[in-house]
Amino acid sequence: MVRPYGLLNRQEEPVPLKSISVTLSICEFVAGVSATLNYENEEKVPLEAFFVFPMDEDSAVYSFEAMVDGKKIMAELQDKMKAHTNYENAISQGQQAFLLEEDKCSRDVFCCNVGNLRPGSKAALTLKYVQELPLEADGALRYVLPAILNPRYQLSGWPEDSCLKMKTPVVPLEDLPYTLSMVATISSQHGIQRIQCNCPLSPIEYLGNDKTSAQISLADGHKFDCDVELLIYYNEVHTPSVAVEMGKSTTDADCLMADPSAMVSFYPDIPEAQPPITCGEFVFLMDRSGSMQGPMSKQDKSQLRIEAAKETLILLLKSLPIGCYFNVYGFGSCYEPFFHRSVKYTQRTMDEALRRVKLMRADLGGTEILTPLRNIYSGPSIPGHPLQLFVFTDGEVTDTFSVIKEVQINCLRHRCFSFGIGEGASTSLIKGIARVSGGMSEFITGKERMQSKALRALKRSLQPVVEDVSLSWDLPSGLSAKMLSPEQTVIFRGQRLIIYAQLTGTMPPAEATGEVCLKYTLQGKSFENKVTFSLQPKFDANLTIHRLAAKSFLQTKDMGFRETPAKDKKDVLKVSIDCGVISSHTAFIAVNKDLNEPVQGPLVRRDVPRPILLSATAVMSRYRGGGLDKHQAFGDRPKKKCMPIKETSPEMERAHSSTNRTNLETHHTVFGDNHLVQLISLQKADGSWDLNEGLAMVLGVSLEEIRTALPIKNADSSGWATVLAVLWLHANGKDMKCEWELLERKAVSWIHMHAGSVMRVLMKAAINFLKSSEDPAIFAL
């Protein structure tokens, strides 16, 4: 069931958390963050306050400190069970204690405990973390300050000691008792082109004439109705580099922090294969839980998630190559596959899948992804068709590590491309399943389109696999590199590759240099990228590269408090504590032992509330009005009985597709006035279009007019229809070319194969008929 995290009415008790202030420093593609939680006890009794909040799963949290009534208390990172015991002992003895921990079930949820906060006392708790910033397709670096923590779907029998089980109060946005402020400094030696934000900012202040540094701040009054997202565009982002950081001499010799660490960033120039591969088994796993009925964003008239999902599936189905295999699963509390097992991509199977997509609803209750995954993996592999899995979800699950582990177990037989939908999607789940399978992850927020990101991933999956990936170092005698990052087996075109290594041995003189070489093969051809770098390590008081290297190691080994194998837990604990980077097995604890006297009186618990978004408020108004019970209100509807698979016969499909008028009405009902999707839904599996009423409606002319304009009498009408459709796409869908590029290439290939001898005549006639100014070169292969 979904737990709504406590009461949904207005909070009557005072809330001790007053404000959250964030200082952000971004240098090139690394962010350093200092976040301070400011508490004040305005009551007459001592308090114990609990605050559950989201974090990006790539965050390497390395510091936690408390400032209580002017006194600074540094926290120590300990084994989690030991830290909990020490915390409980401290507050039972009247001492002030502070605990910060990563949730046992998900890397992207944290809990902060403030114990024995005296009446009238103030406490400022500061946590610090560093993280790599992901590179977007358009060259932007993306930083997200998570503000939204959606309720997670709770499996029956799930552990009670998870932060996600805590009944955090939920209040309307206007009643949220604490505020958020953020100041950011951004710098790059290559110069800053522009900065975008989804939230109101103060005017951007550029420092210096060369625009290599800028400062921004979040405008007052942030409503916690969305994550804060920055898109940073540098003048150059694809320059390979190596940064060497000095180690910490005071640590033990066998500690990762003792030796210098190197961070290597490559941007492999992988050529696009022409033509792309046509084999593969493509399985699309689509979330159909109740939460998918919500809007894609807080924007007015934002498309519903389930409607965006349906459009995305249509585009994906139309873009698949002839000869591949595919299947579609809808999942919630149960799951519904379109076919018992993956089927060959033909006109009949595509039509059947399209029919089912149009009927999809967000009506399968909660979010249980593990069972359908196991069903997919239990099927036999199809020789010559490697499995490519596409997972779409708003990520509101609690069994995150169990899901990641299941994907990891099957990583040798597939790649997983994952998509987090909407605000608050679990970064731990979405990034985790892509990372362990050698795939890619994407997040769709604000005005971003699920369709374009999904099609970009499909295009990547259709490119030949880069093989024989290796990294070699050329270093002076007496110096060697020990890899800290997992072995890289997959590289995608346009991907940035970041690698961490520990430099051990004798460091050479300051003027010495080293070289690192990335080698790989693609379609039998060998490629290599080399970077020469200075071996003079630079000092960084925060040991940023070492912390990021530790995080990279922990993400590989740490599979959650309960899922981590015993053989890896020892390594996780050592690296986590040695490097001061939190893990699921460790927690930060700070105890104020210098109080003159123990805190007196009964300890009162206060849970810091979370905001409820506008869409959820609307749902709850229905709940209060009697339209829904509280489980339905949060998307946990009574489990729908998943329907058995009923595959239509070829005879039924022919009857279905022969009724043009019925098809036309169906297209209009499902897609409304979206002519682009209407046109794409009419395309056949081989890439062609039939000449029919549906096409005429999209083109805005009558069917008779199209037939009359056919320049060659008795010619195949499909060739004419397909040329017209391709021309219309270019004339009317330029802004969304990335969404129809693959299916358009399939159509052009079909034209060359079936209408090559008359193609020029058809092209010229189509340009005149549609009064188009498009270049005929669009029909080139």
Side-chain angles (χ1 to χ4, degrees), residues 110-368:
F110 276 64
C111 183
C112 180
N113 300 9
V114 178
N116 277 328
L117 190 61
R118 286 173 160 174
S121 187
K122 294 182 179 180
L125 309 185
T126 300
L127 63 97
K128 296 179 181 179
Y129 65 89
V130 290
Q131 69 176 106
E132 302 166 7
L133 299 186
L135 185 66
E136 297 293 292
D138 63 353
L141 289 163
R142 185 178 196 149
Y143 170 75
V144 177
L145 177 66
I148 304 300
L149 178 58
N150 291 327
R152 302 290 174 96
Y153 183 77
Q154 304 276 335
L155 296 172
S156 58
W158 201 246
E160 292 291 336
D161 56 353
S162 167
C163 302
L164 296 167
K165 283 281 189 176
M166 202 174 291
K167 291 188 173 72
T168 308
V170 182
V171 298
L173 287 170
E174 62 270 19
D175 294 336
L176 203 65
Y178 49 90
T179 60
L180 173 67
S181 63
M182 185 185 80
V183 176
T185 302
I186 300 160
S187 61
S188 170
Q189 62 177 329
H190 303 292
I192 300 167
Q193 191 179 98
R194 67 185 187 275
I195 301 168
Q196 296 176 358
C197 185
N198 65 330
C199 300
L201 295 175
S202 63
I204 300 173
E205 180 184 353
Y206 288 100
L207 310 176
N209 297 326
D210 54 0
K211 294 180 72 172
T212 55
S213 183
Q215 192 170 73
I216 59 172
S217 59
L218 198 61
D220 293 339
H222 180 70
K223 298 298 184 183
F224 282 91
D225 54 351
C226 64
D227 296 336
V228 180
E229 180 178 290
L230 291 176
L231 293 176
I232 301 146
Y233 295 84
Y234 296 143
N235 292 326
E236 176 57 63
V237 292
H238 296 97
T239 304
S241 64
V242 179
V244 181
E245 180 180 88
M246 192 180 297
K248 192 175 181 181
S249 58
T250 56
T251 56
D252 295 336
D254 64 341
C255 174
L256 187 152
M257 304 293 277
D259 293 309
S261 285
M263 178 169 65
V264 184
S265 58
F266 276 114
Y267 300 84
D269 185 18
I270 300 173
E272 184 171 0
Q274 295 290 348
I277 58 175
T278 58
C279 61
E281 178 188 2
F282 300 88
V283 177
F284 307 105
L285 184 56
M286 182 63 72
D287 194 337
R288 284 178 52 191
S289 62
S291 52
M292 287 290 288
Q293 191 59 36
M296 286 295 297
S297 77
K298 64 175 181 175
Q299 305 292 333
D300 290 340
K301 299 181 181 178
S302 175
Q303 190 176 30
L304 295 181
R305 295 178 184 183
I306 190 64
E307 295 305 318
K310 289 161 71 171
E311 281 189 18
T312 300
L313 283 173
I314 289 168
L315 287 164
L316 288 167
L317 289 170
K318 295 293 182 175
S319 301
L320 290 176
I322 287 288
C324 73
Y325 287 75
F326 79 101
N327 203 352
V328 179
Y329 282 69
F331 74 93
S333 301
C334 56
Y335 66 91
E336 291 181 352
F338 283 12
F339 307 97
H340 286 292
R341 289 297 176 196
S342 293
V343 294
K344 195 162 189 178
Y345 181 70
T346 64
Q347 186 62 42
R348 183 184 74 81
T349 56
M350 189 199 71
D351 282 346
E352 170 65 7
L354 193 64
R355 181 182 72 82
R356 288 177 174 271
V357 167
K358 293 172 184 175
L359 298 174
M360 280 176 56
R361 301 289 181 269
D363 59 358
L364 293 186
T367 311
E368 296 186 27

Side-chain angles (χ1 to χ4, degrees), residues 65 125 188 210 247 409 471 613 664:
E65 64 183 45
L125 309 185
S188 170
D210 54 0
I409 290 170
L471 196 72
L613 299 186
L664 181 57

